[in-house]
Structure formats: structure tokens, C-alpha cells
Amino acid sequence: MSRLQELIVTQSTTMILIIGCLFLLWMISALKRDVSIVDAFWGAGFAIVAWASLLLNPPITFRPLLLAVLTTVWGLRLSIYLLWRNWGHDEDRRYAAMRTYYGPRFWWFSLIIVFILQGILLWFISWPQQVTAVQKSLNPIGLLDLFGIAVWATGILFESVGDFQLARFKSNPANAGKVMDRGLWRYTRHPNYFGDFCVWWGMYLVAANSGAGWTILSPLLMSFLLLKVSGVSLLERDINERRPDYASYRERTNAFFPRQPKARH
């Protein structure tokens, strides 16, 4: 079987696997009347794709195995955190608003625009992992790999520490309605999204060193989502209404890339 045929088989299989998982999750969400459960699958779904791609393409070589491990560490940390954060809470306000807007049609619309769309995005963004597994590169670990791992590690640090700092801040009732502007949040308004950005570009660099450099659209799409769609842009759309002090925080703190905050006036 040629490499192209192996890639087609791998990507067809992972697409069927992910859409199947999300269809089952959609049915559970219909029973629970809570679409928010899809959020916790996001990270785990990437780990599923990475390991499926690895197992579909023996023999297993070091670089695709490394990517599967890096993806799993990132994905499971995110999924476990979101499960913990959302446990016992009502449906996320984004999905609740969609439920109200679509009315009785919501379940079918949620299948398409929440679950199936998320599956397609997940599958496309994970192309570097899939292609690297098919390539089975025997190239020795080089400087690009090490730089990619360093960028990935920076991302994990920002995500983990940022989420921990925010959770601790929110756990204090005295901070209700206040803006988190301490720790990493002092240097960027979204250390968790910046962390995601680093994680995916770091893994892409590792994939690129195996001949998968042409999959650059995958980290570019993730970056676009983080900055313009489901990340920074969506979260800040109405945050000034919920947190009056956010306007001042916004003026002095960079939105995404960390930097020294501006002095308070």
C-alpha cells in the first residue's frame, strides 16, 4: 500500500471514529438536556485520533509516538479540567442561548453545528499527528523537534498554571464579579488560550521534522479559532457587561501574547 493510500485509510478511519464518538455523545446530551458535555470531549478527542493513527500505521516509530504522548498529556489535562469545572453546573450559557433561539429544532441543529462541526474541526486540526504516523519517519531527533517540545511545554505551563490560578481566584467568594489580573493573567488576558496556541505550534514543529510540514493549515486554523471564533473574541463579546472592571483591565493588559502590562492611570 502506498503512503497516499495509507493516509486515506488513516484519515477515513479517524473521521468515522470521531464522528461516531460525537454522535453517541450527542444522544447522551439529548437525554441529559445538556450540550456542555461536548466541551470535555475536545481534548480527549485529539488523543483518540493520535493513538488511532499510531496503531493503524505499524511499525511504531519514535516521532509519531512522541506526538501521541504530547497530544494525550495536553488533551487529558484539558478534558479532566473541564469535567471538574463544569461538574454540577447548569448548561453553558452559549448553548442555553442556542437552545432558546432554535426552540424545538435545537437537538438537530446541535448535532450539526455543535457536535458534527466540532468533529470535523478536531479531525482537520489533528492532521499533523495523522500524517506523522503515516510517514513513520526515522529521522533522528533534531533541533526543530527540541524547539517544538520547548514551545509545547511553554503552552502546557501557561494553560495549567493559568487555569489553576483562575480556579483559585474564583473559589474565593470575595472575588465575585471581580477581574482576575494576577499571576499569568497580569501579562495576558487569556493565558490558557495562549497556551493552546503554543501547544499546537509546538506539535506542528515536531511533525514538520518528519515531513508533515505541509499540514501547516491545521495550527493556523487552531490559531484562528482561538483568536477570532471560540476563544478570545467569543469570551470578550459581552464580558464588560458582566465585569465592569474589565474595560480597565483590557486597556492595560495584552489580549493574547504575554507582555508587561501598561501602568495604571
Side-chain angles (χ1 to χ4, degrees):
M1 188 182 297
S2 69
R3 285 287 168 83
L4 178 59
Q5 290 173 320
E6 290 177 343
L7 182 59
I8 291 172
V9 169
T10 297
Q11 295 191 319
S12 300
T13 304
T14 53
M15 172 63 86
I16 292 170
L17 180 61
I18 286 301
I19 295 301
C21 288
L22 284 165
F23 184 79
L24 290 174
L25 200 62
W26 170 74
M27 290 194 291
I28 295 172
S29 77
L31 293 173
K32 290 175 60 67
R33 293 188 60 82
D34 186 357
V35 174
S36 300
I37 61 176
V38 72
D39 292 342
F41 180 79
W42 179 250
F46 284 103
I48 291 172
V49 170
W51 286 102
S53 301
L54 191 68
L55 296 175
L56 284 167
N57 293 280
I60 295 174
T61 56
F62 179 76
R63 193 172 280 104
L65 177 61
L66 172 64
L67 277 180
V69 171
L70 296 181
T71 304
T72 301
V73 170
W74 169 80
L76 291 186
R77 188 215 70 86
L78 179 61
S79 289
I80 292 170
Y81 171 73
L82 290 176
L83 277 174
W84 169 80
R85 189 189 68 179
N86 297 338
W87 193 266
H89 291 275
D90 294 332
E91 187 175 52
D92 187 280
R93 57 189 178 83
R94 297 168 297 163
Y95 303 126
M98 289 172 57
R99 184 187 300 278
T100 300
Y101 179 79
Y102 287 109
R105 302 172 297 162
F106 173 71
W107 294 116
W108 298 109
F109 275 92
S110 70
L111 172 62
I112 297 168
I113 64 179
V114 177
F115 289 86
I116 300 301
L117 178 59
Q118 178 163 305
I120 293 171
L121 290 172
L122 189 161
W123 173 81
F124 183 79
I125 292 169
S126 63
W127 270 28
Q129 285 86 340
Q130 297 180 63
V131 174
T132 300
V134 172
Q135 293 281 25
K136 297 185 278 286
S137 171
L138 296 176
N139 294 342
I141 296 298
L143 290 178
L144 190 61
D145 297 288
L146 296 176
F147 181 60
I149 293 171
V151 173
W152 174 89
T154 300
I156 288 291
L157 176 68
F158 267 80
E159 278 195 78
S160 304
V161 174
D163 284 342
F164 172 75
Q165 290 174 339
L166 183 61
R168 187 173 59 177
F169 177 82
K170 287 184 172 181
S171 68
N172 185 347
N175 293 325
K178 295 182 179 180
V179 174
M180 171 57 164
D181 60 356
R182 308 167 192 173
L184 293 178
W185 300 81
R186 181 171 180 263
Y187 302 99
T188 165
R189 301 201 300 270
H190 302 281
N192 47 350
Y193 294 147
F194 172 72
D196 257 357
F197 173 89
C198 290
V199 162
W200 282 96
W201 279 104
M203 290 193 290
Y204 167 75
L205 292 175
V206 174
N209 215 23
S210 72
W214 60 271
T215 63
I216 192 169
L217 287 178
S218 297
L220 283 174
L221 175 59
M222 177 63 95
S223 302
F224 177 74
L225 293 174
L226 290 170
L227 284 164
K228 300 298 183 181
V229 182
S230 60
V232 175
S233 180
L234 179 64
L235 187 64
E236 296 199 344
R237 188 171 297 166
D238 62 351
I239 198 168
N240 287 341
E241 300 172 11
R242 294 179 282 116
R243 286 175 171 59
D245 293 337
Y246 200 83
S248 173
Y249 174 58
R250 197 172 193 164
E251 288 179 2
R252 66 179 184 273
T253 308
N254 207 33
F256 196 74
F257 294 101
R259 73 176 183 190
Q260 190 68 23
K262 298 176 183 177
R264 293 174 183 264
H265 296 296

